[in-house]
Amino acid sequence: MKRVTLPDGTEVPALGQGTWMMAEGRGDRAAEIAALRTGIDRGLTLIDTAEMYGDGASEELVGEAIAGRRDGLFIVTKVLPSNASRIGTVKACERSLKRLGIDRIDLYLLHWRGGVPLEETVEAFQSLIQAGKIARWGVSNFDVDDLEELAEATDLHGCAVNQVLYNPEHRGIEYDLLPFQHTARMPVMAYSPIGQGGRLLRSPALLAVAKRHGVTPAQVAIAWVLRQQGVIAIPKAGTTAHALENAEAVKLALTGEDIAEIDKAFPPPKRKQPLAMI
């Protein structure tokens, strides 16, 4: 399994598991738990969730899936901006810990910018580290200007990752955000690497590349994201079969011809684009 190194030297798998829209009644709960456990067995030991997902139901699902097998896992969750005050962050973290059934979160993210000053949220993160309730902190849905402002408020090296939308359809971060984070040695955590709703996976370009390699378009999309250094992909899998499919994507090495075909269908950005969020 390819690894990505965080600023503090911790290594995590480049391919993890997302849980957005899980535990919300769309899928079978037992199947979703089995999918997470199958992913863990295949080396996808980084699991991302958030207090917002299903109003805490996703964290509870993750807690059930990891019960009795916490060792070796890297658990990521997020605080809502509305809870990101000095006191609110601590209380939100304690609620997340309870739902997850663990005593420490490996990586705690601010889900997106809100009205609370960044300095206040970072102070809360630092207090949680000192209390042993989180191991490190990061951000999500931050653009370059947000990270520059964060750098004025605190040591940017303390920020472990920035989680953003990244896939062939949404690659605006390649223009400025990805280079900025490479320079800062801050990994990107890519959510929705295979898109949403299946449109990306019906792309003729991805279908053609998949056919050449005897794989699925989803595996092509994941491999495309993982071609970048310092990028962690967190696709969701609601079934065991989907989890196994995602795990196999790490074996796929795209060729220059493959990349060129995807670039033709989804051109790289030539100018600054607003940070995409879904």
Side-chain angles (χ1 to χ4, degrees), residues 40-273:
I40 291 170
D41 292 340
R42 291 302 179 103
L44 311 188
T45 53
L46 183 152
I47 302 175
D48 174 83
T49 185
E51 66 169 343
M52 184 189 80
Y53 300 166
D55 195 23
S58 174
E59 289 181 326
E60 291 174 347
L61 182 84
V62 171
E64 187 173 345
I66 68 173
R69 53 193 309 172
R70 174 68 172 96
D71 290 349
L73 301 183
F74 191 92
I75 305 301
V76 184
T77 193
K78 311 176 194 72
V79 59
L80 281 165
S82 57
N83 291 332
S85 65
R86 187 176 290 103
I87 296 174
T89 300
V90 173
K91 290 183 176 179
C93 178
E94 291 171 346
R95 290 192 296 269
S96 290
L97 287 168
K98 184 176 180 180
R99 287 189 290 262
L100 288 162
I102 59 178
D103 56 14
R104 187 177 74 162
I105 293 163
D106 296 296
L107 176 58
Y108 199 36
L109 308 180
L110 174 61
H111 210 149
W112 65 84
R113 287 293 302 270
V116 178
L118 291 176
E119 296 95 327
E120 184 173 342
T121 303
V122 171
E123 286 177 7
F125 285 154
Q126 296 292 0
S127 72
L128 287 167
I129 290 175
Q130 292 171 3
K133 294 179 180 179
I134 68 173
R136 56 193 65 79
W137 62 271
V139 295
S140 180
N141 297 303
F142 271 43
D143 208 343
V144 172
D145 58 342
D146 299 310
L147 291 177
E148 289 175 339
E149 184 178 339
L150 182 64
E152 294 176 0
T154 186
D155 179 4
L156 199 58
H157 293 295
C159 181
V161 306
N162 180 24
Q163 184 181 124
V164 294
L165 175 65
Y166 184 48
N167 60 49
E169 283 185 308
H170 299 282
R171 56 188 302 186
I173 68 168
E174 293 176 4
Y175 184 79
D176 56 351
L177 182 59
L178 192 57
F180 181 93
Q181 291 193 219
H182 280 166
T183 299
R185 297 185 178 180
M186 180 194 305
V188 165
M189 189 175 288
Y191 71 81
S192 296
I194 61 176
Q196 290 290 329
R199 185 179 68 174
L200 174 63
L201 304 186
R202 295 190 295 270
S203 158
L206 266 65
L207 286 166
V209 173
K211 184 177 180 180
R212 277 200 295 272
H213 290 275
V215 298
T216 67
Q219 290 171 327
V220 172
I222 293 170
W224 182 89
V225 168
L226 294 181
R227 84 197 190 285
Q228 297 276 9
Q229 293 299 312
V231 175
I232 303 159
I234 49 170
K236 182 192 77 170
T239 66
T240 296
H242 194 180
L244 291 170
E245 178 186 349
N246 288 348
E248 287 296 304
V250 298
K251 300 177 182 178
L252 176 59
L254 299 178
T255 67
E257 179 186 4
D258 299 331
I259 298 298
E261 187 160 0
I262 295 171
D263 283 349
K264 185 176 181 180
F266 304 99
K270 295 183 178 180
R271 61 182 183 278
K272 171 67 179 176
Q273 298 178 5

